[in-house]
Amino acid sequence: MSIMQVDYSTKIPNNVNLGEDRQVLKALEGWHPGYIDWWHDMGPEGFQQSLVYLRTAYSVDPRGWAKFDYVKMPDYRWGILLAPQEENRVVPFGEHYGEPAWQEVPGEHRAMLRRLIVIQGDTEPASVEQQRHLGRTAPSLYDMRNLFQVNVEEGRHLWAMVYLLQKYFGRDGREEADELLRRRSGDEDSPRMLGAFNEKTPDWLSFFMFTYFTDRDGKMQLHSLAQSGFDPLSRTCRFMLTEEAHHMFVGETGITRVVQRTCEAMRAAGIDDPADVAKVRALGVIDLPTIQKKLNLHYSLSLDLFGSEVSTNAANAFNAGIKGRYRETQIEDDHRLQSSTYPVLKLVGGEIKRVDEPALTALNMRLRDDYTQDCVKGLLRWNKVISSAGYEFKLGLPHVAFHRAIGEFKDVHATPEGLLIDDASWAKRGDDWLPSTADGDFIASLMTPVTEVGGFAPWIAPPKVGIDNKPGDFEYVKIET
Ligand SMILES: [Fe+2]
Ligand SMILES: [Fe+2]
């Protein structure tokens, strides 16, 4: 059997020859019931008996890897899929630069590697937990299907990390795998590991912002782990990235459709000032200033996921050959970074300044900069929708010092423009920049579900094309309760 094809004859679909790897298969089969319990307890609320038009990977060939069909979510075949092994792959950075990539965990870096895998693994079920209520208020069957697609694939990403833990880390790997099913997003006693994954995703605009901004942090992390000298991790992450692209598509097009609908409604009503919030809201659409506030929130929460700008952990992981830079192999330098520097935004004497730091310790900052650049693309699209409708309003990314809980700016307050302000001004103006309770209540008031085939809630435009090229009146979810 070729590595491209996925073996569906075992209980756990895979392309890693689990059929002949009895010990790992046994460990995974032992973990499976707990996963299914977790899915029932913490996965999408309701709709578990509905047929959902989902894609499932049948191959890891980038030219064609998924097939679409109706599946009940609990019957989704969560599998272990690794991208094909590259022949003669070498460690592409760090102290081991140029040495053959490792097929086994190097003993000296075991703890660090395990920690990175656990942190990545923890985010996957967390987002499913955060989004579990959203099916009930889906603005269409199309959107509901996209939500469930993202959810089952995040579940698969958890499997991907659990496979690595169980295959390569022995007993402590198995314990970590169990812990991944025990923590819960937002739980007081055993929360998920990272801040943004303990926040609420209360409505569909949050969901789109989350898939645009927070899944994109995931993309950056997966890209840098895909560079890893530990080859099984690299191959796992490479395949996860193919699935991840759809999650960000859901976010980007979702926000586009909200913005589009708002602009259409404003035009039809003859509204010239998009900042006239009350007038726009009276139309039953989400005003652009509120969309900006949601964007501010999700972007700043996602920036925190990159950790401290200056970090010896990041330097160690790079030196060790465990976690590289975004598109490491395409960067033209020595890939060791022993003597180079990188400009870092820091707080110096009460001012925000750019300071050259050793490139090695500034790796988080660099990845975050790459992330910001990647985020800009969506903003250009959304702003084009707004300007095409004849409005001057522009959505923008807030300054990196705005609303931060981690890193250089965690102890100061800054405006979205990056102006430092005192506590009193922040207390006064905070509601202008972040969604207030009233904003949340208004958005919640729009979240009435639309489950008729081909129907869409009035606050969001239909998509340009269907999933898998299906027509507008396609029944993406056959609801069975
Ligand atoms: Fe994921
Ligand atoms: Fe994702």
Side-chain angles (χ1 to χ4, degrees):
M1 169 162 287
S2 113
I3 174 78
M4 292 286 194
Q5 293 303 317
V6 178
D7 178 4
Y8 272 91
S9 68
T10 41
K11 187 166 175 190
I12 299 153
N14 71 94
N15 70 346
V16 292
N17 216 1
L18 272 187
E20 276 161 44
D21 198 345
R22 301 314 293 183
Q23 214 184 343
V24 177
L25 181 62
K26 226 178 108 204
L28 283 168
E29 284 178 348
W31 187 79
H32 188 259
Y35 172 81
I36 294 295
D37 285 348
W38 168 81
W39 179 266
H40 280 293
D41 290 349
M42 296 310 294
E45 209 181 76
F47 307 100
Q48 297 286 348
Q49 292 311 308
S50 302
L51 287 167
V52 187
Y53 193 68
L54 293 174
R55 71 175 182 189
T56 305
Y58 66 89
S59 154
V60 290
D61 185 339
R63 287 164 301 176
W65 56 274
K67 67 173 176 1
F68 287 82
D69 208 347
Y70 284 108
V71 183
K72 285 184 190 170
M73 283 187 279
D75 299 336
Y76 185 82
R77 303 294 307 272
W78 285 284
I80 313 292
L81 283 71
L82 272 60
Q85 191 167 346
E86 264 173 47
E87 238 177 280
N88 305 321
R89 181 167 179 266
V90 296
V91 182
F93 58 89
E95 283 163 354
H96 303 283
Y97 177 69
E99 294 171 20
W102 314 301
Q103 299 307 323
E104 293 295 332
V105 176
E108 48 182 328
H109 305 314
R110 195 170 187 274
M112 187 194 294
L113 200 46
R114 190 186 66 209
R115 173 141 186 95
L116 284 173
I117 292 171
V118 167
I119 291 174
Q120 180 60 44
D122 193 67
T123 65
E124 313 288 357
S127 66
V128 177
E129 294 165 0
Q130 287 169 294
Q131 295 161 15
R132 64 186 305 257
H133 305 289
L134 291 173
R136 300 243 180 254
T137 54
S140 71
L141 294 180
Y142 166 89
D143 290 291
M144 187 191 280
R145 176 252 166 236
N146 285 349
L147 166 71
F148 294 157
Q149 183 74 62
V150 169
N151 292 160
V152 293
E153 285 175 353
E154 300 304 6
R156 202 200 69 72
H157 294 173
L158 171 59
W159 275 90
M161 293 298 123
V162 164
Y163 167 73
L164 294 177
L165 289 170
Q166 294 193 331
K167 173 149 175 86
Y168 296 100
F169 294 88
R171 173 197 275 270
D172 36 337
R174 288 193 294 277
E175 281 166 12
E176 294 282 14
D178 293 340
E179 287 298 296
L180 285 168
L181 291 177
R182 203 181 55 81
R183 287 184 288 272
R184 293 281 184 271
S185 176
D187 191 281
E188 237 170 77
D189 301 323
S190 72
R192 292 294 174 185
M193 296 170 89
L194 302 174
F197 291 90
N198 288 305
E199 298 283 332
K200 288 206 155 61
T201 311
D203 55 63
W204 276 78
L205 183 55
S206 289
F207 171 65
F208 294 137
M209 291 290 175
F210 186 97
T211 42
Y212 188 80
F213 288 107
T214 307
D215 279 84
R216 189 173 309 273
D217 158 71
K219 167 187 166 177
M220 304 310 286
Q221 304 300 339
L222 290 176
H223 262 286
S224 44
L225 293 174
Q227 302 290 342
S228 184
F230 179 49
D231 206 40
L233 176 60
S234 163
R235 293 170 54 202
T236 302
C237 291
R238 263 158 44 214
F239 187 69
M240 288 163 75
L241 280 164
T242 55
E243 291 167 315
E244 207 58 49
H246 177 66
H247 307 180
M248 283 169 290
F249 160 87
V250 169
E252 183 182 323
T253 54
I255 297 168
T256 305
R257 290 161 52 214
V258 175
V259 170
Q260 187 192 329
R261 182 68 199 107
T262 298
C263 289
E264 286 166 3
M266 288 193 299
R267 269 282 78 96
I271 293 176
D272 289 325
D273 180 12
D276 193 338
V277 171
K279 251 189 177 173
V280 177
R281 286 189 179 181
L283 304 173
V285 293
I286 306 172
D287 53 283
L288 300 179
T290 299
I291 295 175
Q292 176 68 60
K293 288 193 217 175
K294 282 274 201 184
L295 190 162
N296 289 347
L297 175 66
H298 287 270
Y299 176 68
S300 56
L301 287 172
S302 301
L303 288 180
D304 281 341
L305 294 171
F306 289 86
S308 290
E309 290 84 346
V310 177
S311 155
T312 47
N313 278 345
N316 292 339
F318 185 88
N319 273 335
I322 302 270
K323 185 177 175 187
R325 289 170 292 177
Y326 183 53
R327 304 203 161 134
E328 180 73 44
T329 50
Q330 292 167 35
I331 300 171
E332 281 183 33
D333 64 9
D334 69 352
H335 300 282
R336 290 173 190 267
L337 306 181
Q338 293 299 335
S339 52
S340 46
T341 61
Y342 189 84
V344 174
L345 274 189
K346 295 184 84 171
L347 206 57
V348 186
E351 276 179 73
I352 300 173
K353 287 208 169 118
R354 219 165 260 283
V355 183
D356 279 338
E357 287 283 338
L360 266 180
T361 49
L363 283 163
N364 286 347
M365 176 77 193
R366 182 184 174 121
L367 191 63
R368 202 188 74 193
D369 282 343
D370 289 334
Y371 166 79
T372 297
Q373 269 193 30
D374 209 54
C375 285
V376 167
K377 293 177 207 153
L379 279 115
L380 294 176
R381 296 228 171 100
W382 306 329
N383 284 331
K384 193 144 182 277
V385 173
I386 300 173
S387 63
S388 303
Y391 292 104
E392 256 166 48
F393 193 97
K394 259 197 164 75
L395 294 167
L397 294 175
H399 193 276
V400 293
F402 172 79
H403 186 236
R404 298 296 307 282
I406 285 179
E408 278 294 310
F409 307 110
K410 68 175 178 352
D411 298 322
V412 293
H413 290 305
T415 67
E417 292 74 34
L419 205 70
L420 294 175
I421 53 172
D422 59 19
D423 290 5
S425 319
W426 174 263
K428 239 190 286 167
R429 299 284 318 270
D431 276 2
D432 294 346
W433 302 320
L434 290 169
S436 64
T437 311
D439 295 328
D441 290 347
F442 169 69
I443 297 176
S445 76
L446 299 180
M447 297 293 126
T448 37
V450 173
T451 52
E452 298 94 78
V453 176
F456 284 85
W459 55 270
I460 187 166
K464 279 209 179 75
V465 280
I467 292 297
D468 194 28
N469 279 318
K470 292 296 175 210
D473 59 353
F474 185 74
E475 192 174 9
Y476 289 100
V477 183
K478 297 186 181 192
I479 293 178
E480 194 72 54
T481 45

